Amino acid sequence: MNKYLKRTLVVSTIMIIIFVIIMVWPLPLRKVLRKEADTTAMTVSLSEHDTNISSFSLSANSVEYRKIIEILEDYTYHCTWYSFIPHESFTGHGENLIIYTGDSGIIVDVDKGRVFVDKGTAEHTYRIDYFGHNDAAQLAAQIKKVLKI
């Protein structure tokens, strides 16, 4: 093989490896939510087919707030093909779990395992789990249990 072809193969391989690492690297779901100074530090809503089922406003010193933060510590999200395209809104087709603190938050499409991450300035769609939607369903079930829904 000539020198140019070898160099091209090495650079291409390195670029592919970097891209795969970016796609599968787990990002902590808890880091999306920032603690705000106001009295209602967290808003949690459940909706199904764009119909709000229930909504809760939790203060930063409530037991439910701390339990939800602990639950979110156990979950991660990662990039998909759609993560590189900014979205202005997100609508799940089934059950949605919506958690916001101030101007940052997440919307989880429980049926598909997708998560819309809204950091106030950047809004992108990711996935919670790598295969299926088991982690998204478990996350929703744990939060429903904390909120006694």
Side-chain angles (χ1 to χ4, degrees):
M1 283 202 296
N2 66 22
K3 194 163 99 174
Y4 177 74
L5 183 60
K6 285 181 184 179
R7 187 177 306 148
T8 304
L9 285 173
V10 168
V11 169
S12 298
T13 303
I14 290 171
M15 301 265 304
I16 289 171
I17 290 171
I18 290 171
F19 181 74
V20 167
I21 288 171
I22 289 170
M23 292 296 285
V24 299
W25 191 266
L27 303 165
L29 198 55
R30 162 63 185 101
K31 297 280 182 169
V32 175
L33 304 175
R34 293 188 278 268
K35 188 173 179 179
E36 299 293 327
D38 61 3
T39 57
T40 52
M42 181 184 290
T43 303
V44 180
S45 301
L46 290 163
S47 67
E48 191 153 344
H49 302 291
D50 294 333
T51 304
N52 192 7
I53 296 173
S54 56
S55 185
F56 300 89
S57 293
L58 307 173
S59 65
N61 55 4
S62 69
V63 174
E64 293 86 1
Y65 177 90
R66 282 184 264 124
K67 285 183 180 179
I68 289 174
I69 293 298
E70 288 175 11
I71 290 169
L72 292 175
E73 293 280 347
D74 297 334
Y75 289 91
T76 59
Y77 64 98
H78 65 91
C79 291
T80 67
W81 297 111
Y82 302 109
S83 300
F84 303 104
I85 305 166
H87 297 276
E88 291 186 16
S89 65
F90 176 82
T91 305
H93 299 295
E95 183 180 12
N96 293 320
L97 173 66
I98 305 160
I99 303 173
Y100 268 84
T101 57
D103 64 345
S104 61
I106 57 173
I107 303 172
V108 178
D109 182 353
V110 176
D111 296 334
K112 302 282 185 188
R114 297 180 302 163
V115 60
F116 177 73
V117 175
D118 181 0
K119 293 184 181 176
T121 57
E123 302 157 341
H124 298 277
T125 304
Y126 298 90
R127 290 208 43 94
I128 285 190
D129 47 0
Y130 293 98
F131 304 106
H133 63 281
N134 294 333
D135 285 352
Q138 288 175 351
L139 173 63
Q142 287 179 325
I143 290 179
K144 283 180 183 178
K145 185 176 178 183
V146 168
L147 298 174
K148 297 177 179 122
I149 299 175

